[in-house]
Amino acid sequence: MVSVNSSNFYHSTFVLSGLEEIDPTEIWISILICSLYVMTLGNISILYIIKTEQRLHAPMYYFLSVLAIIDLALSMTTLPTMFSVFLLRSKEIPIDTCLCQVYFLNTFSVVESGVLLAMSFDRFIAIWNPLRYASILSRSTAVGIGLSIALRAIVLILPEPLLDRWLPFCRNNILTHPWCLHQDIIKLACADVKVHSSYGLFVVSTMMSDAVLVVLSYMMILRLVLRIASESERSTTLSTCMSHIVAVFLFYVPRIFLSVLHRFSSLVPPLMNKVLGFLLFLLPPLINPMIYCIKNKQIRTRYVQYFTKLKDLWMVSFKRQGLFPG
């Protein structure tokens, strides 16, 4: 380990990376990525619909609201460094700021993992025992589950930045993503990082356990539906479950692969790591509203109503300005 007396040799900042491997098209990819980030703001419309529609004040939609909030939080956590790297071409970030971003990224990710598990449990209860659904999963129970999910994430992730803060960084200080990741940071330390790496694997294994339970829940749902439902109900439930499972895979698979690839980075092209990173933090906030809401008849109906009203307002405005005959 490097002597503490040589602190002037330590880095006080990290350097984030863009898409230098495909530099000729970086500006177009930057515009595309930033546009996709703006599209994740569609989660706000979900929150508005659930808040204003009295019929949607149920545990399933509470969990869906939390999922939308977490997706927005994940996007907003990576957005500042993304804009800084791609639009402002400013890539330096102080170590403390970087560790703060690590904490929030990982905390929100663990919360989302818990919410996906809670949503699968909610659907299983609704199909397994619909008559007792309201008593088993009451509002107070849903709030308790939500608080437990948040507390678990806060406690589970807190040791990571605290451990990383004591690491000396006296080697290369260039990160491989336009945001800070725990496994990316510890590779730059000039100290023994076995504890840090092991704890990171523990966090990943916790999320993998959630993923296994989610898949098992949907398998049990499918088994119940195939036994008791009619042909049309089976088709609808199968379609919904498959779309939910796709969302679950989009959330978990890039995380697992990215964690594994970082441990074999010398054997993997840098661009692959970056692509997985974008899939990790960009796809779920973009895809979840489509999967969990467009498939929901009540929310879909409200979307149609809002767009119809908006179209009517535009038509009236255009007619007043003489753009359309009326």
Side-chain angles (χ1 to χ4, degrees):
M1 183 183 296
V2 177
S3 171
V4 176
N5 293 329
S6 60
S7 58
N8 59 335
F9 184 62
Y10 293 168
H11 294 293
S12 60
T13 62
F14 289 127
V15 178
L16 301 167
S17 296
L19 293 169
E20 293 80 6
E21 295 85 357
I22 45 178
D23 190 61
T25 59
E26 185 173 355
I27 183 62
W28 301 108
I29 292 177
S30 303
I31 294 172
L32 173 62
I33 291 171
C34 292
S35 300
L36 291 175
Y37 264 93
V38 171
M39 290 171 65
T40 64
L41 296 178
N43 286 283
I44 295 175
S45 64
I46 297 172
L47 295 173
Y48 177 75
I49 289 173
I50 292 175
K51 178 178 173 57
T52 56
E53 181 60 57
Q54 190 67 32
R55 292 177 300 174
L56 302 183
H57 293 179
M60 171 187 174
Y61 298 101
Y62 293 152
F63 293 137
L64 192 55
S65 297
V66 175
L67 184 66
I69 291 170
I70 293 301
D71 282 337
L72 284 170
L74 277 171
S75 296
M76 293 303 104
T77 303
T78 56
L79 194 60
T81 51
M82 285 282 296
F83 276 3
S84 178
V85 170
F86 288 109
L87 298 182
L88 304 178
R89 296 295 190 264
S90 175
K91 299 185 178 183
E92 279 200 342
I93 181 171
I95 287 178
D96 287 341
T97 304
C98 196
L99 294 177
C100 186
Q101 187 181 48
V102 167
Y103 177 73
F104 283 109
L105 280 178
N106 289 351
T107 299
F108 292 143
S109 295
V110 174
V111 170
E112 181 157 346
S113 178
V115 172
L116 290 174
L117 177 58
M119 291 176 71
S120 67
F121 173 72
D122 171 270
R123 290 300 82 204
F124 173 72
I125 296 297
I127 293 174
W128 171 62
N129 201 336
L131 297 179
R132 294 188 58 204
Y133 171 76
S135 60
I136 295 174
L137 205 59
S138 62
R139 291 186 181 183
S140 58
T141 302
V143 171
I145 292 173
L147 291 175
S148 300
I149 289 170
L151 182 62
R152 181 189 73 155
I154 292 169
V155 173
L156 182 65
I157 300 302
L158 188 59
E160 277 192 345
L162 295 179
L163 287 169
D164 294 351
R165 184 63 186 85
W166 294 100
L167 287 173
F169 299 101
C170 52
R171 298 174 183 167
N172 175 17
N173 68 333
I174 300 175
L175 301 174
T176 57
H177 299 275
W179 46 71
C180 302
L181 295 179
H182 169 72
Q183 58 266 40
D184 211 4
I185 290 173
I186 62 176
K187 288 195 303 183
L188 303 180
C190 46
D192 186 359
V193 294
K194 288 180 182 177
V195 173
H196 307 71
S197 182
S198 298
Y199 195 81
L201 281 174
F202 172 69
V203 172
V204 173
S205 66
T206 300
M207 296 179 69
M208 287 177 65
S209 299
D210 288 352
V212 170
L213 292 174
V214 170
V215 172
L216 287 175
S217 296
Y218 280 113
M219 288 175 64
M220 293 171 70
I221 289 171
L222 291 174
R223 183 181 176 188
L224 285 171
V225 170
L226 293 174
R227 284 171 51 190
I228 64 177
S230 64
E231 189 69 30
S232 60
E233 289 173 330
R234 288 178 187 177
S235 177
T236 302
T237 306
L238 283 172
S239 175
T240 302
C241 284
M242 288 308 297
S243 62
H244 287 194
I245 290 172
V246 167
V248 167
F249 271 84
L250 285 175
F251 177 78
Y252 286 108
V253 171
R255 277 170 170 75
I256 295 169
F257 271 96
L258 193 62
S259 177
V260 172
L261 290 180
H262 264 286
R263 286 163 173 78
F264 301 96
S265 56
S266 59
L267 305 176
V268 179
L271 185 59
M272 184 178 294
N273 269 331
K274 293 183 180 181
V275 169
L276 277 174
F278 285 113
L279 292 177
L280 179 63
F281 293 113
L282 185 57
L283 269 190
L286 189 64
I287 298 297
N288 282 343
M290 303 177 192
I291 290 178
Y292 287 103
C293 296
I294 303 303
K295 281 282 184 180
N296 184 289
K297 184 178 179 180
Q298 290 174 303
I299 294 180
R300 188 171 64 245
T301 300
R302 289 303 298 271
Y303 268 121
V304 172
Q305 290 174 352
Y306 286 137
F307 282 122
T308 302
K309 288 180 181 179
L310 187 60
K311 184 196 73 173
D312 292 341
L313 287 173
W314 280 345
M315 292 298 293
V316 170
S317 177
F318 288 151
K319 286 177 181 179
R320 286 176 179 174
Q321 296 176 30
L323 298 177
F324 289 111

